[in-house]
PDB file of all heavy atoms in Angstrom:
ATOM      1  N   GLN N  35      17.242  16.052  -6.650  1.00  0.00           N
ATOM      2  CA  GLN N  35      16.321  15.150  -5.955  1.00  0.00           C
ATOM      3  C   GLN N  35      14.886  15.678  -6.014  1.00  0.00           C
ATOM      4  O   GLN N  35      13.943  14.903  -6.216  1.00  0.00           O
ATOM      5  CB  GLN N  35      16.758  14.964  -4.507  1.00  0.00           C
ATOM      6  CG  GLN N  35      18.037  14.173  -4.371  1.00  0.00           C
ATOM      7  CD  GLN N  35      18.572  14.185  -2.946  1.00  0.00           C
ATOM      8  OE1 GLN N  35      18.606  15.217  -2.287  1.00  0.00           O
ATOM      9  NE2 GLN N  35      18.990  13.016  -2.483  1.00  0.00           N
ATOM     10  N   VAL N  36      14.708  16.980  -5.862  1.00  0.00           N
ATOM     11  CA  VAL N  36      13.374  17.582  -5.948  1.00  0.00           C
ATOM     12  C   VAL N  36      12.828  17.438  -7.365  1.00  0.00           C
ATOM     13  O   VAL N  36      11.674  17.051  -7.566  1.00  0.00           O
ATOM     14  CB  VAL N  36      13.396  19.060  -5.501  1.00  0.00           C
ATOM     15  CG1 VAL N  36      12.100  19.775  -5.866  1.00  0.00           C
ATOM     16  CG2 VAL N  36      13.656  19.161  -4.001  1.00  0.00           C
ATOM     17  N   ASP N  37      13.649  17.726  -8.359  1.00  0.00           N
ATOM     18  CA  ASP N  37      13.213  17.591  -9.753  1.00  0.00           C
ATOM     19  C   ASP N  37      12.805  16.149 -10.061  1.00  0.00           C
ATOM     20  O   ASP N  37      11.802  15.910 -10.735  1.00  0.00           O
ATOM     21  CB  ASP N  37      14.309  18.044 -10.712  1.00  0.00           C
ATOM     22  CG  ASP N  37      14.517  19.556 -10.687  1.00  0.00           C
ATOM     23  OD1 ASP N  37      13.628  20.286 -10.202  1.00  0.00           O
ATOM     24  OD2 ASP N  37      15.585  20.002 -11.157  1.00  0.00           O
ATOM     25  N   ALA N  38      13.574  15.187  -9.558  1.00  0.00           N
ATOM     26  CA  ALA N  38      13.245  13.778  -9.794  1.00  0.00           C
ATOM     27  C   ALA N  38      11.924  13.408  -9.114  1.00  0.00           C
ATOM     28  O   ALA N  38      11.098  12.699  -9.694  1.00  0.00           O
ATOM     29  CB  ALA N  38      14.377  12.876  -9.283  1.00  0.00           C
ATOM     30  N   ALA N  39      11.718  13.898  -7.895  1.00  0.00           N
ATOM     31  CA  ALA N  39      10.467  13.606  -7.187  1.00  0.00           C
ATOM     32  C   ALA N  39       9.282  14.244  -7.901  1.00  0.00           C
ATOM     33  O   ALA N  39       8.236  13.607  -8.079  1.00  0.00           O
ATOM     34  CB  ALA N  39      10.548  14.091  -5.738  1.00  0.00           C
ATOM     35  N   LEU N  40       9.431  15.495  -8.330  1.00  0.00           N
ATOM     36  CA  LEU N  40       8.342  16.169  -9.049  1.00  0.00           C
ATOM     37  C   LEU N  40       8.020  15.456 -10.357  1.00  0.00           C
ATOM     38  O   LEU N  40       6.854  15.362 -10.749  1.00  0.00           O
ATOM     39  CB  LEU N  40       8.691  17.630  -9.311  1.00  0.00           C
ATOM     40  CG  LEU N  40       8.718  18.542  -8.077  1.00  0.00           C
ATOM     41  CD1 LEU N  40       9.262  19.919  -8.450  1.00  0.00           C
ATOM     42  CD2 LEU N  40       7.345  18.656  -7.442  1.00  0.00           C
ATOM     43  N   ALA N  41       9.038  14.939 -11.021  1.00  0.00           N
ATOM     44  CA  ALA N  41       8.822  14.236 -12.293  1.00  0.00           C
ATOM     45  C   ALA N  41       8.056  12.931 -12.098  1.00  0.00           C
ATOM     46  O   ALA N  41       7.400  12.450 -13.028  1.00  0.00           O
ATOM     47  CB  ALA N  41      10.164  13.959 -12.967  1.00  0.00           C
ATOM     48  N   ARG N  42       8.118  12.346 -10.896  1.00  0.00           N
ATOM     49  CA  ARG N  42       7.409  11.099 -10.610  1.00  0.00           C
ATOM     50  C   ARG N  42       5.915  11.287 -10.409  1.00  0.00           C
ATOM     51  O   ARG N  42       5.153  10.330 -10.401  1.00  0.00           O
ATOM     52  CB  ARG N  42       7.954  10.455  -9.325  1.00  0.00           C
ATOM     53  CG  ARG N  42       9.185   9.655  -9.470  1.00  0.00           C
ATOM     54  CD  ARG N  42       9.458   8.768  -8.240  1.00  0.00           C
ATOM     55  NE  ARG N  42       8.723   9.102  -7.033  1.00  0.00           N
ATOM     56  CZ  ARG N  42       9.198   9.841  -6.018  1.00  0.00           C
ATOM     57  NH1 ARG N  42      10.401  10.347  -6.079  1.00  0.00           N
ATOM     58  NH2 ARG N  42       8.460  10.064  -4.951  1.00  0.00           N
ATOM     59  N   TYR N  43       5.475  12.528 -10.172  1.00  0.00           N
ATOM     60  CA  TYR N  43       4.065  12.748  -9.834  1.00  0.00           C
ATOM     61  C   TYR N  43       3.142  12.264 -10.951  1.00  0.00           C
ATOM     62  O   TYR N  43       3.398  12.469 -12.128  1.00  0.00           O
ATOM     63  CB  TYR N  43       3.758  14.220  -9.555  1.00  0.00           C
ATOM     64  CG  TYR N  43       2.286  14.418  -9.288  1.00  0.00           C
ATOM     65  CD1 TYR N  43       1.738  14.046  -8.073  1.00  0.00           C
ATOM     66  CD2 TYR N  43       1.441  14.896 -10.278  1.00  0.00           C
ATOM     67  CE1 TYR N  43       0.387  14.171  -7.833  1.00  0.00           C
ATOM     68  CE2 TYR N  43       0.084  15.018 -10.047  1.00  0.00           C
ATOM     69  CZ  TYR N  43      -0.437  14.659  -8.819  1.00  0.00           C
ATOM     70  OH  TYR N  43      -1.781  14.771  -8.601  1.00  0.00           O
ATOM     71  N   ARG N  44       2.059  11.637 -10.533  1.00  0.00           N
ATOM     72  CA  ARG N  44       0.991  11.270 -11.454  1.00  0.00           C
ATOM     73  C   ARG N  44      -0.310  11.288 -10.667  1.00  0.00           C
ATOM     74  O   ARG N  44      -0.323  11.113  -9.446  1.00  0.00           O
ATOM     75  CB  ARG N  44       1.234   9.916 -12.102  1.00  0.00           C
ATOM     76  CG  ARG N  44       1.295   8.750 -11.153  1.00  0.00           C
ATOM     77  CD  ARG N  44       1.769   7.476 -11.864  1.00  0.00           C
ATOM     78  NE  ARG N  44       1.888   6.377 -10.940  1.00  0.00           N
ATOM     79  CZ  ARG N  44       0.921   5.509 -10.671  1.00  0.00           C
ATOM     80  NH1 ARG N  44      -0.257   5.612 -11.256  1.00  0.00           N
ATOM     81  NH2 ARG N  44       1.107   4.521  -9.825  1.00  0.00           N
ATOM     82  N   ASP N  45      -1.397  11.503 -11.352  1.00  0.00           N
ATOM     83  CA  ASP N  45      -2.701  11.504 -10.707  1.00  0.00           C
ATOM     84  C   ASP N  45      -3.016  10.127 -10.153  1.00  0.00           C
ATOM     85  O   ASP N  45      -2.553   9.120 -10.686  1.00  0.00           O
ATOM     86  CB  ASP N  45      -3.795  11.923 -11.696  1.00  0.00           C
ATOM     87  CG  ASP N  45      -3.696  13.396 -12.068  1.00  0.00           C
ATOM     88  OD1 ASP N  45      -3.290  14.197 -11.208  1.00  0.00           O
ATOM     89  OD2 ASP N  45      -4.023  13.734 -13.218  1.00  0.00           O
ATOM     90  N   PHE N  64       1.358  19.166   1.909  1.00  0.00           N
ATOM     91  CA  PHE N  64       2.589  19.865   1.602  1.00  0.00           C
ATOM     92  C   PHE N  64       2.420  20.662   0.317  1.00  0.00           C
ATOM     93  O   PHE N  64       1.604  20.313  -0.528  1.00  0.00           O
ATOM     94  CB  PHE N  64       3.748  18.867   1.386  1.00  0.00           C
ATOM     95  CG  PHE N  64       4.025  18.009   2.575  1.00  0.00           C
ATOM     96  CD1 PHE N  64       3.573  16.709   2.633  1.00  0.00           C
ATOM     97  CD2 PHE N  64       4.750  18.500   3.645  1.00  0.00           C
ATOM     98  CE1 PHE N  64       3.831  15.906   3.724  1.00  0.00           C
ATOM     99  CE2 PHE N  64       5.011  17.708   4.742  1.00  0.00           C
ATOM    100  CZ  PHE N  64       4.559  16.404   4.787  1.00  0.00           C
ATOM    101  N   THR N  66       5.094  22.115  -2.572  1.00  0.00           N
ATOM    102  CA  THR N  66       6.458  22.259  -3.069  1.00  0.00           C
ATOM    103  C   THR N  66       6.424  23.263  -4.209  1.00  0.00           C
ATOM    104  O   THR N  66       5.602  23.141  -5.113  1.00  0.00           O
ATOM    105  CB  THR N  66       7.005  20.919  -3.590  1.00  0.00           C
ATOM    106  OG1 THR N  66       7.034  19.980  -2.517  1.00  0.00           O
ATOM    107  CG2 THR N  66       8.402  21.088  -4.167  1.00  0.00           C
ATOM    108  N   LEU N  77       3.480  21.804  -6.637  1.00  0.00           N
ATOM    109  CA  LEU N  77       2.780  20.550  -6.423  1.00  0.00           C
ATOM    110  C   LEU N  77       2.233  20.568  -5.005  1.00  0.00           C
ATOM    111  O   LEU N  77       2.968  20.809  -4.048  1.00  0.00           O
ATOM    112  CB  LEU N  77       3.724  19.359  -6.612  1.00  0.00           C
ATOM    113  CG  LEU N  77       3.104  17.976  -6.435  1.00  0.00           C
ATOM    114  CD1 LEU N  77       2.001  17.725  -7.472  1.00  0.00           C
ATOM    115  CD2 LEU N  77       4.170  16.896  -6.542  1.00  0.00           C
ATOM    116  N   VAL N  78       0.935  20.327  -4.882  1.00  0.00           N
ATOM    117  CA  VAL N  78       0.301  20.269  -3.571  1.00  0.00           C
ATOM    118  C   VAL N  78      -0.097  18.837  -3.272  1.00  0.00           C
ATOM    119  O   VAL N  78      -0.164  18.002  -4.172  1.00  0.00           O
ATOM    120  CB  VAL N  78      -0.946  21.187  -3.492  1.00  0.00           C
ATOM    121  CG1 VAL N  78      -0.559  22.629  -3.713  1.00  0.00           C
ATOM    122  CG2 VAL N  78      -1.997  20.760  -4.480  1.00  0.00           C
ATOM    123  N   GLY N  79      -0.388  18.585  -2.013  1.00  0.00           N
ATOM    124  CA  GLY N  79      -0.919  17.296  -1.629  1.00  0.00           C
ATOM    125  C   GLY N  79       0.069  16.426  -0.906  1.00  0.00           C
ATOM    126  O   GLY N  79       1.244  16.749  -0.778  1.00  0.00           O
ATOM    127  N   GLN N  80      -0.466  15.297  -0.430  1.00  0.00           N
ATOM    128  CA  GLN N  80       0.362  14.324   0.266  1.00  0.00           C
ATOM    129  C   GLN N  80      -0.112  12.906   0.043  1.00  0.00           C
ATOM    130  O   GLN N  80       0.510  11.970   0.484  1.00  0.00           O
ATOM    131  CB  GLN N  80       0.416  14.632   1.761  1.00  0.00           C
ATOM    132  CG  GLN N  80      -0.763  14.116   2.573  1.00  0.00           C
ATOM    133  CD  GLN N  80      -2.031  14.938   2.460  1.00  0.00           C
ATOM    134  OE1 GLN N  80      -2.038  15.985   1.852  1.00  0.00           O
ATOM    135  NE2 GLN N  80      -3.102  14.464   3.040  1.00  0.00           N
ATOM    136  N   CYS N  81      -1.249  12.726  -0.634  1.00  0.00           N
ATOM    137  CA  CYS N  81      -1.779  11.385  -0.850  1.00  0.00           C
ATOM    138  C   CYS N  81      -1.165  10.776  -2.109  1.00  0.00           C
ATOM    139  O   CYS N  81      -1.122  11.417  -3.155  1.00  0.00           O
ATOM    140  CB  CYS N  81      -3.293  11.417  -0.976  1.00  0.00           C
ATOM    141  SG  CYS N  81      -4.102  11.768   0.575  1.00  0.00           S
ATOM    142  N   PRO N  82      -0.723   9.534  -2.013  1.00  0.00           N
ATOM    143  CA  PRO N  82      -0.066   8.891  -3.154  1.00  0.00           C
ATOM    144  C   PRO N  82      -1.070   8.484  -4.228  1.00  0.00           C
ATOM    145  O   PRO N  82      -2.266   8.354  -3.954  1.00  0.00           O
ATOM    146  CB  PRO N  82       0.571   7.656  -2.524  1.00  0.00           C
ATOM    147  CG  PRO N  82      -0.340   7.324  -1.388  1.00  0.00           C
ATOM    148  CD  PRO N  82      -0.816   8.645  -0.848  1.00  0.00           C
ATOM    149  N   PRO N  83      -0.582   8.254  -5.446  1.00  0.00           N
ATOM    150  CA  PRO N  83      -1.472   7.809  -6.516  1.00  0.00           C
ATOM    151  C   PRO N  83      -1.944   6.369  -6.320  1.00  0.00           C
ATOM    152  O   PRO N  83      -2.946   5.956  -6.887  1.00  0.00           O
ATOM    153  CB  PRO N  83      -0.630   7.951  -7.776  1.00  0.00           C
ATOM    154  CG  PRO N  83       0.775   7.925  -7.301  1.00  0.00           C
ATOM    155  CD  PRO N  83       0.776   8.485  -5.911  1.00  0.00           C
ATOM    156  N   GLU N  87       2.723   3.437  -3.086  1.00  0.00           N
ATOM    157  CA  GLU N  87       3.630   4.504  -3.516  1.00  0.00           C
ATOM    158  C   GLU N  87       3.629   5.637  -2.500  1.00  0.00           C
ATOM    159  O   GLU N  87       2.752   5.730  -1.661  1.00  0.00           O
ATOM    160  CB  GLU N  87       3.186   5.058  -4.875  1.00  0.00           C
ATOM    161  CG  GLU N  87       3.285   4.062  -6.000  1.00  0.00           C
ATOM    162  CD  GLU N  87       2.854   4.654  -7.328  1.00  0.00           C
ATOM    163  OE1 GLU N  87       3.113   5.842  -7.566  1.00  0.00           O
ATOM    164  OE2 GLU N  87       2.245   3.914  -8.112  1.00  0.00           O
ATOM    165  N   GLU N  88       4.627   6.498  -2.606  1.00  0.00           N
ATOM    166  CA  GLU N  88       4.708   7.676  -1.754  1.00  0.00           C
ATOM    167  C   GLU N  88       4.513   8.915  -2.623  1.00  0.00           C
ATOM    168  O   GLU N  88       5.044   8.993  -3.731  1.00  0.00           O
ATOM    169  CB  GLU N  88       6.074   7.726  -1.058  1.00  0.00           C
ATOM    170  CG  GLU N  88       6.202   8.869  -0.087  1.00  0.00           C
ATOM    171  CD  GLU N  88       7.464   8.777   0.756  1.00  0.00           C
ATOM    172  OE1 GLU N  88       8.548   9.057   0.221  1.00  0.00           O
ATOM    173  OE2 GLU N  88       7.344   8.411   1.931  1.00  0.00           O
ATOM    174  N   HIS N  89       3.755   9.881  -2.127  1.00  0.00           N
ATOM    175  CA  HIS N  89       3.561  11.126  -2.866  1.00  0.00           C
ATOM    176  C   HIS N  89       4.897  11.870  -2.929  1.00  0.00           C
ATOM    177  O   HIS N  89       5.638  11.898  -1.936  1.00  0.00           O
ATOM    178  CB  HIS N  89       2.506  11.996  -2.164  1.00  0.00           C
ATOM    179  CG  HIS N  89       2.058  13.158  -2.972  1.00  0.00           C
ATOM    180  ND1 HIS N  89       2.826  14.291  -3.126  1.00  0.00           N
ATOM    181  CD2 HIS N  89       0.923  13.371  -3.676  1.00  0.00           C
ATOM    182  CE1 HIS N  89       2.178  15.155  -3.888  1.00  0.00           C
ATOM    183  NE2 HIS N  89       1.011  14.615  -4.233  1.00  0.00           N
ATOM    184  N   PRO N  90       5.239  12.478  -4.053  1.00  0.00           N
ATOM    185  CA  PRO N  90       6.504  13.198  -4.164  1.00  0.00           C
ATOM    186  C   PRO N  90       6.704  14.269  -3.086  1.00  0.00           C
ATOM    187  O   PRO N  90       7.822  14.491  -2.635  1.00  0.00           O
ATOM    188  CB  PRO N  90       6.435  13.834  -5.551  1.00  0.00           C
ATOM    189  CG  PRO N  90       5.538  12.938  -6.324  1.00  0.00           C
ATOM    190  CD  PRO N  90       4.521  12.448  -5.333  1.00  0.00           C
ATOM    191  N   ASN N  91       5.633  14.920  -2.639  1.00  0.00           N
ATOM    192  CA  ASN N  91       5.799  15.942  -1.606  1.00  0.00           C
ATOM    193  C   ASN N  91       6.262  15.355  -0.284  1.00  0.00           C
ATOM    194  O   ASN N  91       6.979  16.007   0.476  1.00  0.00           O
ATOM    195  CB  ASN N  91       4.491  16.713  -1.407  1.00  0.00           C
ATOM    196  CG  ASN N  91       4.350  17.837  -2.401  1.00  0.00           C
ATOM    197  OD1 ASN N  91       5.318  18.282  -2.994  1.00  0.00           O
ATOM    198  ND2 ASN N  91       3.134  18.291  -2.599  1.00  0.00           N
ATOM    199  N   ARG N  92       5.870  14.131   0.018  1.00  0.00           N
ATOM    200  CA  ARG N  92       6.368  13.483   1.239  1.00  0.00           C
ATOM    201  C   ARG N  92       7.863  13.169   1.095  1.00  0.00           C
ATOM    202  O   ARG N  92       8.625  13.306   2.041  1.00  0.00           O
ATOM    203  CB  ARG N  92       5.575  12.226   1.549  1.00  0.00           C
ATOM    204  CG  ARG N  92       4.190  12.516   2.078  1.00  0.00           C
ATOM    205  CD  ARG N  92       3.559  11.257   2.668  1.00  0.00           C
ATOM    206  NE  ARG N  92       2.303  11.582   3.284  1.00  0.00           N
ATOM    207  CZ  ARG N  92       2.161  11.965   4.553  1.00  0.00           C
ATOM    208  NH1 ARG N  92       3.212  12.086   5.312  1.00  0.00           N
ATOM    209  NH2 ARG N  92       0.963  12.235   5.051  1.00  0.00           N
ATOM    210  N   THR N  93       8.256  12.753  -0.095  1.00  0.00           N
ATOM    211  CA  THR N  93       9.672  12.499  -0.361  1.00  0.00           C
ATOM    212  C   THR N  93      10.473  13.785  -0.196  1.00  0.00           C
ATOM    213  O   THR N  93      11.523  13.802   0.455  1.00  0.00           O
ATOM    214  CB  THR N  93       9.854  11.950  -1.789  1.00  0.00           C
ATOM    215  OG1 THR N  93       9.083  10.758  -1.931  1.00  0.00           O
ATOM    216  CG2 THR N  93      11.309  11.673  -2.104  1.00  0.00           C
ATOM    217  N   ILE N  94       9.977  14.869  -0.777  1.00  0.00           N
ATOM    218  CA  ILE N  94      10.663  16.167  -0.710  1.00  0.00           C
ATOM    219  C   ILE N  94      10.718  16.662   0.727  1.00  0.00           C
ATOM    220  O   ILE N  94      11.752  17.162   1.186  1.00  0.00           O
ATOM    221  CB  ILE N  94       9.980  17.181  -1.650  1.00  0.00           C
ATOM    222  CG1 ILE N  94      10.180  16.734  -3.109  1.00  0.00           C
ATOM    223  CG2 ILE N  94      10.507  18.585  -1.410  1.00  0.00           C
ATOM    224  CD1 ILE N  94       9.272  17.440  -4.101  1.00  0.00           C
ATOM    225  N   ALA N  95       9.617  16.526   1.481  1.00  0.00           N
ATOM    226  CA  ALA N  95       9.608  16.954   2.886  1.00  0.00           C
ATOM    227  C   ALA N  95      10.656  16.195   3.693  1.00  0.00           C
ATOM    228  O   ALA N  95      11.346  16.778   4.533  1.00  0.00           O
ATOM    229  CB  ALA N  95       8.220  16.752   3.487  1.00  0.00           C
ATOM    230  N   ALA N  96      10.807  14.911   3.430  1.00  0.00           N
ATOM    231  CA  ALA N  96      11.816  14.111   4.136  1.00  0.00           C
ATOM    232  C   ALA N  96      13.227  14.577   3.778  1.00  0.00           C
ATOM    233  O   ALA N  96      14.107  14.641   4.645  1.00  0.00           O
ATOM    234  CB  ALA N  96      11.635  12.632   3.816  1.00  0.00           C
ATOM    235  N   LEU N  97      13.460  14.910   2.512  1.00  0.00           N
ATOM    236  CA  LEU N  97      14.770  15.418   2.087  1.00  0.00           C
ATOM    237  C   LEU N  97      15.101  16.733   2.797  1.00  0.00           C
ATOM    238  O   LEU N  97      16.218  16.935   3.276  1.00  0.00           O
ATOM    239  CB  LEU N  97      14.792  15.648   0.574  1.00  0.00           C
ATOM    240  CG  LEU N  97      14.751  14.427  -0.322  1.00  0.00           C
ATOM    241  CD1 LEU N  97      14.497  14.844  -1.766  1.00  0.00           C
ATOM    242  CD2 LEU N  97      16.042  13.646  -0.200  1.00  0.00           C
TER     243      LEU N  97
END
Side-chain angles (χ1 to χ4, degrees):
Q35 291 171 316
V36 168
D37 289 342
L40 290 172
R42 278 195 344 263
Y43 177 76
R44 62 189 177 91
D45 290 327
F64 300 101
T66 299
L77 181 62
V78 298
Q80 83 282 354
C81 289
E87 295 181 36
E88 184 171 75
H89 191 284
N91 276 341
R92 286 193 174 271
T93 302
I94 293 165
L97 291 169

